[in-house]
Amino acid sequence: MNDSGSADQGDRRGPGRRLPGAPVGRRAVAPGSGAEPAGAAPSDATSPPPTFTPSANTPVMPTPPSTSPPPTFLPSAGESPAAPAPLRRPLRHRARAAMAATSPPTEQFSAPRRTSSLPLTVERDVLDLVVRMGEALIGTGAAVADTTVDLLRMAAGFGVTNCHIDITFISITATIDRSDDPLTKVRIISVRTADYSRLTDLHRMIDDVSAGKLTLLDAQSRFDQIVTSPHSYRRWIVTVALGVMGASIAGLLGGGILVALVAGLTSAAIDRVLRFFRRRNLPYLFQQVIGAGMATLVAMLLMVGREMLGWPAHLLPPSVVVGAGMVVLLAGLSLVGAAGDAIQGYPLTAAARSFEVVLNTIGLVAGIGVMLNLARAIGIPLVLNEPMAAQTSVWVQAACGGVAAAAWGVASYGRLRTVMLMLAIGAGSTAVRWGAIDLGMGFEASAFVAAMVVGLAAVAVGERTRTPSLVLSIAGLTPLLPGLAIYRGMFALVEGDHVLAGSSELIGAFMIGLALAAGVTLGGYLATPLRRRIDRFNEMVGVRARGARN
């Protein structure tokens, strides 16, 4: 009793608890501890621990929850593992994930604000030079898209990259986006003329500023020198050049030496008369009416002289004289600039320029119509289908076209090197057009092909010679203008018996004008990979300029 009681007491008071199912008087001793109860057989170190079966009176301890991962059943040899079942999302979520974009917008809606870290006074001087440069570029005949790119390039050359340009038909606005005090300047464009030497100098100055060759003070001094310098030629040389242009257009239309001489004198006389009215601020529309009326008046005199003197009809065809005069008057219109602005994303300026071109062309049509009505009223016989001289060869026509382009370059104050380039491009465009006609193309298609060649050549040559491509493009298109088609259409309308034929001629002239504008723009676009080099910044500036809307 005492032994068993002591043992029971020791079990209850000892450091270890009595194991469930152990007999009273024995202590559960961990194997290998060295403390074996008396009379017990020695334990084997390799034998498993004893298993105790609980009795009916022994309380069962609750089993704690298992935190081990569930058992993994490995596949047997030759059996592929089973893929886990995918979680299926609702159909609308999967459809939304399939159609939703994951990349940012292609076009950035708002350019991030950039700081130039320049003093306020310096940025104000840069902005003043930018708006003055823009006014000079537009005033000398540059297109809005090209002007916007050039102004952004020049501002960046001085360290101002947060400049915004907005150009309309009559004004230019420039803003520097500063966080403390934005700067804005506006200039009104009041002068528009064709001055290719000044335009070329401004273009080269912008290239030098963009390349870091000019400081701000040097650029201001050079700009003042460019805009105040005299013209390259005297004014009477311009009149002679327009006369040569009229004579070469007459030769291009199939006229002989005598009719070319008459056409040249007529064009020179028109220039002097229009200069007189231009100094008195006569609107340009009425100047076009007067110029077309003068050319038609010469044609009426030739008709009267043929009736009175009886010279052959092919000796002095009146239609060739009028057609040459129409080309000289059409050459000053900004057809290429209007088409370029429309295609490159400037709809307001393009609409204004296009309306100006259409209005001034209507002035030509009105001048022809008034004089032809007057001729019929006083009894002058009107004959449209006159026998013409034998068609000249393509090489003679190409030479006449080149001379006409070069003469227009001189009349627009182009320098000698630029005039030589115009001569080559004009001759090439004329040869391409008449060669396309000989191959069976229509007048519109041949004009488009020739204009595309002009656009390609103007960009490629202008990039190498640092000459604005617009200057070379306008000169190359001059021999292709549809002056004779306008005269023939109005002649048929006034005669009264050929209304449909006259309308068809006028529509054809309009389509030729559109073909010229579209072809030269496409040619310039295709010539872009042929440029000498365009760095990454110029490409970014071009994107910003195309995205602007005025």
Side-chain angles (χ1 to χ4, degrees), residues 127 130 151-152 155-156 160-165 174-177 544:
L127 190 64
V130 165
L151 295 183
L152 292 175
V160 179
T161 57
N162 53 343
C163 186
H164 301 271
I165 307 295
T175 300
I176 296 180
D177 186 14
R544 288 181 58 191

Side-chain angles (χ1 to χ4, degrees), residues 419-435:
V419 170
M420 293 295 103
L421 296 176
M422 294 177 180
L423 175 65
I425 294 178
S429 65
T430 306
V432 169
R433 184 188 183 187
W434 289 102

Side-chain angles (χ1 to χ4, degrees), residues 412-458:
S412 301
Y413 302 104
R415 292 190 176 90
L416 182 60
R417 182 181 179 184
T418 306
V419 170
M420 293 295 103
L421 296 176
M422 294 177 180
L423 175 65
I425 294 178
S429 65
T430 306
V432 169
R433 184 188 183 187
W434 289 102
I437 292 176
D438 291 341
L439 292 176
M441 289 188 179
F443 290 104
E444 294 83 2
S446 61
F448 177 82
V449 173
M452 188 169 61
V453 173
V454 169
L456 283 166

Side-chain angles (χ1 to χ4, degrees), residues 18-22 53-61:
R18 181 166 54 90
L19 295 177
T53 304
S55 63
N57 298 327
T58 304
V60 179
M61 302 296 292

Side-chain angles (χ1 to χ4, degrees), residues 177-194:
D177 186 14
R178 294 176 57 94
S179 58
D180 52 353
D181 186 16
L183 301 177
T184 302
K185 284 183 177 291
V186 180
R187 300 279 291 192
I188 302 300
I189 303 171
S190 57
V191 177
R192 292 181 181 274
T193 184

